[in-house]
Amino acid sequence: VKTIYDMAIKPDYVFYLELDEKKVIERINKRNYGFESETYLKNYKNAYERLGNFNLFNKIDVSGTMEETQKGIFDVINRLII
């Protein structure tokens, strides 16, 4: 992953919307929107977490309400542009 990442154009900002795998599955099931296994989601999350070591990621906790998530996103954006 790091080799591929090193060849790509580096973005100015990367937003990582962080949510526990169990909560992801819960939300998917509420929407009747397909299904990914918990193992797949854990592996996917672990891959992104390894990329996060490059300090480019702006993690945003999306486990709360929609309003809390929006506030978290706006807070990160405001921090970056000010």
Side-chain angles (χ1 to χ4, degrees):
V1 173
K2 185 178 182 335
T3 304
I4 293 169
Y5 185 76
D6 284 342
M7 292 187 307
I9 297 171
K10 292 192 173 56
D12 293 326
Y13 306 109
V14 177
F15 300 96
Y16 177 78
L17 306 179
E18 187 172 32
L19 185 63
D20 177 74
E21 299 86 16
K22 290 182 190 316
K23 191 77 166 176
V24 171
I25 290 172
E26 215 176 272
R27 289 182 180 182
I28 290 171
N29 288 338
K30 278 185 185 176
R31 294 182 185 168
N32 238 0
Y33 188 75
F35 180 78
E36 301 292 352
S37 73
E38 190 172 338
T39 302
Y40 172 81
L41 293 171
K42 281 183 182 180
N43 290 337
Y44 200 77
K45 183 178 180 179
N46 288 337
Y48 270 96
E49 301 241 329
R50 284 193 302 274
L51 290 176
N53 292 335
F54 298 120
N55 298 319
L56 288 176
F57 282 41
N58 294 282
K59 285 188 179 183
I60 301 169
D61 177 11
V62 296
S63 62
T65 64
M66 188 176 296
E67 291 79 15
E68 291 168 335
T69 297
Q70 288 172 341
K71 182 182 180 323
I73 292 168
F74 290 136
D75 288 348
V76 169
I77 291 171
N78 283 329
R79 186 184 75 233
L80 293 171
I81 62 174
I82 293 179

